Amino acid sequence: MFVALACGVLFAALLCWVTIFRPYANTPDIRSDGVGYHIWVHGLAHGDLSFCEYRELLDPVNAISSENLEQQRCRVKYPPGVGLLQLPFSLPWLANDPVGTGFSVGEHRVVLWGGALMLLAIACMMYVVLLRRGIHQGLALASVALVTFGTGLFHYGTFDASFSHVYTSFGAALLLWMGTGRRDVTVPWLCAFMLVCGWLYLVRQTNGLLTLAIAYLLFGGIAGPTRWRVWFGWAAGTAAALALQIAYNRYASGATTISSYGNEAFPSFARHSFEVLFSYERGLYTYYPVMLLATWFALRAWRAPASQVLLVCSAIFALLYGSWHSWALGAGFGHRGFVELAPIAMIVLAEGLASAKPFARRLWLAAAAVCCAVTVLAMCAYWRGDLPGAGATRGDYWWSVSPKSLVAKRVQLQYSQDQVRNIELVYAGAQPQPDGRIEVSLRILNHNDAIGLNTSGRLYAPLALSWRLVTDTDAGTGSWDARASLPAIEPKGAGELRIFVMPEAFPRDARWLQVSVVQEGVFWAHTIGVPPLTVDWPAPATGSLIGNKGDGR
């Protein structure tokens, strides 16, 4: 017990150090998807779930899935579960005007420290769960540590604590801690079980599958009324949460739907499932190889309920995310859609190690340690900014998992001036938006024979577009502040990009829109003799150019 206590204290000290000193390049703490989750705190606190007043916060992270113009209601696509847990702790620190000033420092700290505390609670609860399942103390500690650091669990409890994944893992560990070793179901316990299942569904709708799987793991082998009470508890809790989500969708959009994601859908079945599991971009087993080891143990002991849960949930998630229009789930470290399976993986890994003979167990532990080291090295590279959050390539990956990456600064290559001159910009039209912005569509042509654009992750300095509205194309008025990253374009290939122009941010008498290419930190295309693409303003017609001032380059 002393060893376990000492490990717990060391882990808590590590979490405090990471949370206080934040040894990574990531600000603010509430960012990206986290904005969409946290905005529920403000909506619930003020009793107003229309959310349209927060558009300036929500639009940049694509958090609004539909807008009811008649009722002035904007539907937030992210469910309210994360905000519900954050609400009581964030109330004293709420910003009066989050649109004008951003979220308060207190709100950011609540989210960051909350992630660390949940991560510590997950480790403690899963250690107890493993002991209850008959795992030796040393193997229990090793399994918890290997999965915590060998998957994205540690990352999403610290660096990206504003996302939903540590909340789901916390809920899953809580259910396992509540149910492991229990053979009778009392009314208070059943009510708590229903509450956690319902809350988890409101964190992520895919958690309906996870909570059902955990109920099977805990009570599937128990006959009689106990099992049926548990199934009833799961169904009642999940159905209540589903009813709340449907009611909100009806209120915000006027449509009776289950999903809050609007038109986001599954364009093709399992088209990207292989990439979900094995790609350099975001593969589950590529970035979290400990999960591959746990899957191997699950296949060897496939009759065990924990193994069945891990295999079935992994397969369903791989098919689900592989069919989703954004299979990588946006930027992140590894495929974050599987982080919620970390508590299950701890059980499978521990029981797999416990069933091995002593010599084989030592070999498996060594293999697991190597797998864990791969993930930690990649995570460190991600925290330093050497591994991109999106578009990672084979070169990015192997550099990040090399021990050399810890001590050697990565040399960043640059596109040559001739290579940038071979980029052609073509104007493809403009469309006014309800909020006053103008959506401008551009086509980017790469005329280089052997070099791709933004296809090598951080190996090359990134290329971006910048734009301005000007009154005189020769006077150089207006600043090049706006940015949009170029999409990845293969040699002799083409890509499309939409930029959003806010007219009020530019001169009222602006006559032209100019667009130029910039290689960040290196040079601008218009400083090496490439005139900006220049089109009439406002609302130019497709392909309209100003004489020879914008020659498409």
Side-chain angles (χ1 to χ4, degrees):
M1 185 58 68
F2 173 79
V3 174
L5 182 61
C7 289
V9 170
L10 287 174
F11 187 51
L14 174 63
L15 289 173
C16 287
W17 179 78
V18 170
T19 304
I20 293 171
F21 295 102
R22 291 187 286 183
Y24 45 72
N26 180 41
T27 56
D29 301 320
I30 303 173
R31 49 172 286 278
S32 189
D33 294 9
V35 174
Y37 289 116
H38 187 73
I39 203 65
W40 278 94
V41 174
H42 286 263
L44 293 168
H46 296 105
D48 182 3
L49 303 183
S50 61
F51 293 116
C52 287
E53 63 182 294
Y54 305 112
R55 288 204 68 140
E56 289 186 35
L57 279 174
L58 299 175
D59 276 345
V61 296
N62 194 30
I64 295 177
S65 59
S66 66
E67 181 178 4
N68 187 329
L69 295 176
E70 181 180 349
Q71 300 292 332
Q72 285 298 296
R73 294 170 182 170
C74 297
R75 178 172 60 174
V76 174
K77 71 181 183 182
Y78 300 105
V82 171
L84 284 170
L85 189 59
Q86 293 175 352
L87 178 63
F89 306 101
S90 300
L91 274 176
W93 318 104
L94 286 187
N96 293 325
D97 180 20
V99 174
T101 63
F103 297 126
S104 71
V105 173
E107 290 176 84
H108 288 292
R109 295 300 178 267
V110 164
V111 170
L112 197 61
W113 281 100
L117 287 172
M118 283 187 285
L119 195 52
L120 180 61
I122 292 168
C124 293
M125 288 189 292
M126 289 310 302
Y127 173 72
V128 173
V129 166
L130 295 180
L131 292 184
R132 290 177 182 172
R133 294 179 70 90
I135 303 299
H136 183 270
Q137 173 182 306
L139 282 181
L141 288 172
S143 299
V144 170
L146 288 167
V147 174
T148 298
F149 292 99
T151 66
L153 183 56
F154 187 81
H155 172 86
Y156 287 101
T158 52
F159 184 102
D160 276 326
S162 66
F163 290 14
S164 65
H165 308 289
V166 72
Y167 292 81
T168 296
S169 295
F170 170 73
L174 180 59
L175 287 178
L176 291 167
W177 176 77
M178 289 170 56
T180 300
R182 177 173 286 275
R183 290 295 177 265
D184 61 322
V185 173
T186 62
V187 173
W189 185 93
L190 188 60
C191 290
F193 181 79
M194 292 168 55
L195 182 65
V196 176
C197 287
W199 172 71
L200 277 170
Y201 185 86
L202 291 176
V203 172
R204 290 174 67 84
Q205 289 186 297
T206 52
N207 288 344
L209 169 65
L210 181 61
T211 52
L212 177 63
I214 290 175
Y216 165 75
L217 190 162
L218 294 173
F219 299 100
I222 299 177
T226 296
R227 179 169 59 181
W228 294 111
R229 291 192 191 104
V230 171
W231 295 138
F232 168 79
W234 173 84
T238 304
L242 175 60
L244 288 174
Q245 185 65 61
I246 292 175
Y248 169 70
N249 291 339
R250 178 75 178 178
Y251 163 81
S253 68
T256 304
T257 59
I258 294 176
S259 172
S260 58
Y261 278 71
N263 294 326
E264 297 185 51
F266 302 89
S268 58
F269 179 72
R271 180 178 179 180
H272 296 287
S273 292
F274 181 83
E275 290 98 322
V276 166
L277 297 176
F278 295 105
S279 67
Y280 289 116
E281 159 75 6
R282 205 69 56 78
L284 166 66
Y285 299 134
T286 312
Y287 285 90
Y288 310 154
V290 163
M291 290 294 289
L292 183 60
L293 187 59
T295 301
W296 169 249
F297 281 134
L299 289 170
R300 293 181 60 188
W302 62 270
R303 289 186 175 87
S307 298
Q308 293 170 355
V309 165
L310 183 64
L311 293 173
V312 170
C313 287
S314 296
I316 292 176
F317 285 172
L319 294 173
L320 184 72
Y321 297 132
S323 305
W324 185 241
H325 72 96
S326 176
W327 65 267
L329 303 185
F333 170 63
H335 203 293
R336 50 194 173 98
F338 294 82
V339 174
E340 23 272 86
L341 298 181
I344 307 297
M346 292 177 187
I347 295 175
V348 174
L349 181 64
E351 293 184 344
L353 291 171
S355 65
K357 295 181 179 180
F359 179 73
R361 184 183 304 132
R362 287 192 287 270
L363 292 179
W364 285 122
L365 279 170
V370 171
C371 292
C372 183
V374 166
T375 301
V376 171
L377 286 169
M379 183 182 71
C380 290
Y382 190 92
W383 285 18
R384 292 192 309 271
D386 288 341
L387 180 65
T393 63
R394 177 180 180 179
D396 290 320
Y397 175 79
W398 287 111
W399 168 265
S400 71
V401 301
S402 167
K404 181 183 178 181
S405 66
L406 293 174
V407 295
K409 183 174 178 60
R410 188 173 186 181
V411 177
Q412 194 171 54
L413 303 179
Q414 298 177 4
Y415 296 96
S416 70
Q417 293 187 9
D418 286 339
Q419 289 167 344
V420 172
R421 290 190 182 99
N422 283 327
I423 301 172
E424 180 181 357
L425 304 180
V426 178
Y427 173 71
Q431 180 69 40
Q433 300 297 301
D435 60 1
R437 298 181 302 170
I438 306 296
E439 179 188 85
V440 178
S441 298
L442 300 167
R443 185 168 174 80
I444 302 99
L445 307 179
N446 179 14
H447 295 295
N448 290 289
D449 293 323
I451 189 74
L453 308 177
N454 283 359
T455 57
S456 301
R458 297 296 179 91
L459 183 60
Y460 279 82
L463 292 169
L465 290 187
S466 184
W467 59 94
R468 64 181 184 176
L469 290 177
V470 297
T471 58
D472 188 331
T473 57
D474 293 319
T477 58
S479 60
W480 296 95
D481 293 329
R483 290 287 194 282
S485 295
L486 255 66
I489 304 175
E490 297 298 329
K492 306 298 288 186
E496 296 180 354
L497 184 65
R498 294 179 301 167
I499 62 176
F500 292 89
V501 181
M502 294 292 289
E504 61 266 26
F506 296 95
R508 290 180 179 272
D509 56 346
R511 298 178 57 192
W512 296 290
L513 169 70
Q514 291 190 323
V515 185
S516 185
V517 176
V518 57
Q519 184 173 192
E520 298 290 1
V522 186
F523 58 77
W524 291 80
H526 59 262
T527 65
I528 60 170
V530 182
L533 172 68
T534 304
V535 296
D536 292 319
W537 191 265
T542 302
S544 173
L545 300 179
I546 308 295
N548 61 1
K549 292 184 182 294
D551 64 354
R553 293 291 182 89

